[in-house]
Amino acid sequence: MPYTPYQKGSVLDNFTLGKKVVWSILAVTAALMLDSCMSYPVDIERNAGEVLVWDETLPKEQSVGLSIPQFVRVTSYNGISVDWRTGKVVYLPPGKINLTITLMDRNSWGAFVWKEDLPFEWTFRAGDRYTLRDRTEWGLFPGLTLQNMNEKLAWEDQITYRFPSPKIVLSPPVQNHGSQGSATLVFGKSLMMRAYNDDGEQKSMYPSGVWEAITVTVPAGGTSMNFDYCHYIQRFSTDVLVYGQNLELNYSFEAGKEYTIAGYHKRQDSVIEYGVAIWDYASADGNPRVLQKGTILASWKLGEIK
C-alpha cells in the first residue's frame, strides 16, 4: 500500500510540552480568577491602554467591541493590515469579521512568537463584547476563547475557536455496500478524535477532557474518521513528540470484528518511521505498539526522524 506524504509537525521534548500544558492551565486559572472579580456587563474600556473606533459614524452600542489581552496580536482586519496588541480595545461594525492572529509564546512572557498568520473568522452581532483570549488544546494546538464581556458564563461555556488547518486525507472514502452488523473500534491514545462517520461530539467522546483511548461501535463497512495526531517516540534517552492536525482516514471494517487505530513507529537503520496503523484486535489500553501482539492490517506513513 503506497504511503501518503505528510509534512512532519514540530518536534518537542517532554519538558517543552510540559511547560505548554502548565501555561495552559495557569492561563485558564488566571482567567477564572479574573472573571470572579468582574461585574457584568464589563466596561471593556476601563483598563484599556488605547481605544480605536473603526467607524466613527456607528454608535458604540451598535458596534462590536473586542478587547485584545496579553499574548494576542491582531495583524489584519478584513484584509487591512493593523497592529492591535495588549490592552487595545477596538470597536468594529457588526457582521462577518476576518482577522489574522499572532499568538505570543507564554514561556517567554510574550517576547517571542509562538504561532503567526492564524486565520480567524466569526460573525458578530451589534452590541457584542468579547475578550480574545489565547488558548491551547492539549498543550499543542492553538486557539482562542471568546470570553463574553456582556454576560457571566462558566469558563467551559465560553465560545472556543479552533484555528482551521488543511485537511490531510490518508486514504480515499470507502463505500458501505449495504454491510450488515457492527464492528468495535478502539481509538488509541495517539489519536484525538474529532468525528467518525461525520458524527460524534468531542465533548461526549472525551467527557473528562483528558486525551485517552476510547472504544466505539460503528456499522460494518466504510467508516470515515477525522482526528488530530500526537505520538511519543523514544529516541536515545529523549522522548520525541510528533503531531499534526485534521487527518482523515477511511477504512472498511468487518462485522463482528475488533480493531485498534493508533500511532505506530518502527526503526530502520538510523531512521525512525512513524504514522498511523490499524491492528486486528481491541487494545485494552489503546497503546498496541507496547503490547506487541496482533497484526497490523494497514498503515500510513506520516514522516521520519533521522
Side-chain angles (χ1 to χ4, degrees):
M1 179 178 296
Y3 288 141
T4 301
Y6 176 77
Q7 184 175 357
K8 185 172 70 175
S10 302
V11 178
L12 305 173
D13 58 27
N14 279 334
F15 179 65
T16 303
L17 175 62
K19 287 194 294 183
K20 288 186 178 296
V21 173
V22 168
W23 274 118
S24 180
I25 294 172
L26 289 176
V28 172
T29 303
L32 290 172
M33 293 176 63
L34 179 63
D35 180 68
S36 66
C37 302
M38 291 180 178
S39 58
Y40 289 80
V42 176
D43 177 10
I44 60 176
E45 294 186 27
R46 182 178 56 187
N47 298 313
E50 183 180 358
V51 177
L52 170 68
V53 179
W54 191 264
D55 183 353
E56 296 283 356
T57 66
L58 187 65
K60 283 185 179 179
E61 60 269 17
Q62 297 178 23
S63 300
V64 175
L66 301 180
S67 176
I68 313 300
Q70 191 179 14
F71 307 119
V72 175
R73 293 180 183 174
V74 179
T75 58
S76 78
Y77 161 62
N78 288 353
I80 302 171
S81 293
V82 298
D83 186 14
W84 301 341
R85 303 192 183 202
T86 303
K88 191 153 192 166
V89 168
V90 296
Y91 290 96
L92 307 172
K96 183 180 290 186
I97 290 177
N98 288 276
L99 304 176
T100 303
I101 304 288
T102 290
L103 298 182
M104 307 306 293
D105 185 3
R106 283 181 172 272
N107 297 322
S108 64
W109 294 97
F112 300 103
V113 170
W114 178 45
K115 299 286 185 179
E116 59 184 340
D117 297 330
L118 299 169
F120 172 87
E121 181 180 292
W122 198 263
T123 300
F124 292 96
R125 301 168 300 177
D128 279 351
R129 300 289 184 265
Y130 289 100
T131 296
L132 303 181
R133 297 200 176 278
D134 67 309
R135 61 185 293 270
T136 60
E137 193 169 34
W138 313 109
L140 297 173
F141 307 122
L144 290 176
T145 295
L146 278 63
Q147 185 177 9
N148 196 321
M149 298 286 99
N150 280 337
E151 180 183 1
K152 185 172 183 177
L153 298 174
W155 191 251
E156 60 269 17
D157 295 329
Q158 303 283 359
I159 296 172
T160 58
Y161 182 85
R162 190 169 185 262
F163 290 108
S165 58
K167 180 180 288 187
I168 300 169
V169 180
L170 301 182
S171 57
V174 179
Q175 294 185 353
N176 196 309
H177 300 299
S179 301
Q180 301 295 314
S182 61
T184 299
L185 310 183
V186 175
F187 297 133
K189 291 181 179 179
S190 46
L191 308 185
M192 211 286 281
M193 302 305 299
R194 295 292 171 187
Y196 54 93
N197 286 339
D198 296 323
D199 193 9
E201 168 61 39
Q202 186 184 353
K203 286 185 179 179
S204 64
M205 287 192 283
Y206 300 93
S208 65
V210 176
W211 191 335
E212 58 190 357
I214 57 175
T215 302
V216 301
T217 300
V218 300
T223 293
S224 178
M225 297 156 278
N226 182 261
F227 54 88
D228 294 337
Y229 173 85
C230 174
H231 187 58
Y232 282 102
I233 300 171
Q234 187 171 37
R235 184 174 182 269
F236 304 119
S237 59
T238 304
D239 280 345
V240 177
L241 178 67
V242 291
Y243 60 92
Q245 286 182 274
N246 202 10
L247 280 69
E248 181 180 297
L249 176 61
N250 299 279
Y251 195 79
S252 183
F253 298 100
E254 295 184 37
K257 297 291 185 69
E258 296 180 333
Y259 303 86
T260 297
I261 304 98
Y264 81 88
H265 67 271
K266 60 182 180 180
R267 288 174 170 80
Q268 294 180 331
D269 298 325
S270 60
V271 175
I272 301 176
E273 173 190 308
Y274 64 89
V276 175
I278 299 177
W279 280 260
D280 63 351
Y281 77 106
S283 168
D285 67 350
N287 200 12
R289 68 186 184 278
V290 173
L291 299 180
Q292 297 295 319
K293 64 178 288 188
T295 301
I296 291 181
L297 301 174
S299 61
W300 293 264
K301 177 182 176 181
L302 299 182
E304 295 179 343
I305 300 175
K306 298 182 179 180

